[in-house]
Amino acid sequence: MKTLNPQINVVCVKYGTKYTNEDVTRLYRMVEKNLSLPFSFYCLSDTDIPDIQTIPLDMSLDLETYWWKMCLFNLDWNIPTVYFDLDIIIQNNFDYIIQDYKDKIHCIDVRDTGAHMVNDQYAGCIMTVPLCHINSSVMLFTPAHHKDIYEHFIKNIDYNIVTYFGVDRFIGNLFEEKLEKLQFRKDYYFRNQHLEGWDTNYIDKIGLYKDPRVTFCIITQATPQDYKNMEEYFL
């Protein structure tokens, strides 16, 4: 693992059984291939992960699923940090994202997600919750500069979970002044999770992953089958 004189940190979060240790190792390999700057790689997790620098989650918080992402904003790191969801597929170098960094939380503008794909966002988002303005599958920020987000969250965890129905809505609605739009020099793609009745082979048909020359990454909510079909293109 690269840890010597890091210019940045790269981090992910693994909780429970949705993702495996292999998913964490796969993400590390993609980062190593596509980032030439010195970096350290970490995973916030409820278990140790072999060959990965693991930071234990504070299990006293008793959170569920994606809400463990909030622990990113309780880290003491004072250097730029890139966060990736574990379903991300990275296909191109992303040094420039760090080089373009300003001291805000750089994340994906949800209006940009999946501009070239079908079924990429919640259909109409028909829910009685605040609208989602960002996608936090990829973030660049300095954690120590944004601890107020974590502090606000833990003051009333139950209320925030019920009211905002997700990390993206929580951050996007309460801390909009902290946000900066990520600017990708290559396109990227987003699709929502598999819905009942979808053709499980459709990822083969769209063909987007077959041209990494024009694609920075794919945000997938991937299944093992997706990785099996796509791995030759990004590793």
Side-chain angles (χ1 to χ4, degrees), residues 61-218:
L61 295 174
D62 195 27
L63 301 176
E64 295 182 2
T65 60
Y66 45 72
W67 285 107
W68 287 104
K69 235 191 221 187
M70 295 305 303
C71 294
L72 293 166
F73 297 99
N74 194 36
L75 296 169
D76 293 322
W77 299 342
N78 270 301
I79 61 175
T81 297
V82 181
Y83 166 81
F84 289 111
D85 276 354
L86 281 172
D87 56 16
I88 287 289
I89 293 172
I90 306 170
Q91 297 195 127
N92 271 294
N93 182 276
F94 59 94
D95 290 10
Y96 67 91
I97 292 177
I98 294 92
Q99 293 163 349
D100 294 342
Y101 174 62
K102 303 170 186 175
D103 190 20
K104 286 200 170 188
I105 301 169
H106 293 232
C107 53
I108 299 169
D109 187 330
V110 76
R111 294 171 297 183
D112 292 342
T113 58
H116 299 84
M117 292 187 67
V118 180
N119 297 320
D120 55 341
Q121 297 188 50
Y122 298 100
C125 200
I126 308 173
M127 294 183 289
T128 57
V129 296
L131 291 176
C132 184
H133 303 291
I134 65 166
N135 182 285
S136 63
S137 297
V138 181
M139 290 191 291
L140 169 63
F141 64 111
T142 302
H145 296 181
H146 302 288
K147 283 201 164 191
D148 54 323
I149 294 178
Y150 176 81
E151 291 164 0
H152 186 100
F153 175 72
I154 63 170
K155 280 181 181 177
N156 200 336
I157 291 176
D158 292 340
Y159 172 82
N160 289 323
I161 287 176
V162 171
T163 300
Y164 293 101
F165 202 71
V167 173
D168 296 355
R169 291 179 180 84
F170 175 77
I171 298 173
N173 282 276
L174 293 180
F175 298 95
E176 186 174 3
E177 75 284 355
K178 286 178 168 283
L179 304 179
E180 185 86 16
K181 178 182 174 183
L182 273 170
Q183 300 287 343
F184 296 110
R185 293 181 185 170
K186 294 180 182 291
D187 207 346
Y188 65 97
Y189 302 94
F190 173 91
R191 68 173 173 80
N192 222 334
Q193 62 190 23
H194 289 288
L195 301 178
E196 187 175 353
W198 279 26
D199 181 353
T200 56
N201 293 318
Y202 83 100
I203 194 70
D204 287 322
K205 298 175 182 177
I206 60 174
L208 295 173
Y209 62 92
K210 294 183 179 179
D211 193 358
R213 295 171 300 175
V214 296
T215 306
F216 160 63
C217 72
I218 301 174

Side-chain angles (χ1 to χ4, degrees), residues 1-11 27-42 52-53 79-82 84 94-95 98:
M1 297 299 165
K2 293 185 178 180
T3 59
L4 196 60
N5 298 321
Q7 294 182 15
I8 65 166
N9 288 330
V10 179
V11 64
L27 177 62
Y28 171 78
R29 290 165 58 203
M30 287 187 285
V31 170
E32 186 178 39
K33 178 180 178 180
N34 292 290
L35 181 62
S36 62
L37 302 173
F39 71 92
S40 290
F41 186 94
Y42 299 90
I52 296 290
Q53 297 185 89
I79 61 175
T81 297
V82 181
F84 289 111
F94 59 94
D95 290 10
I98 294 92

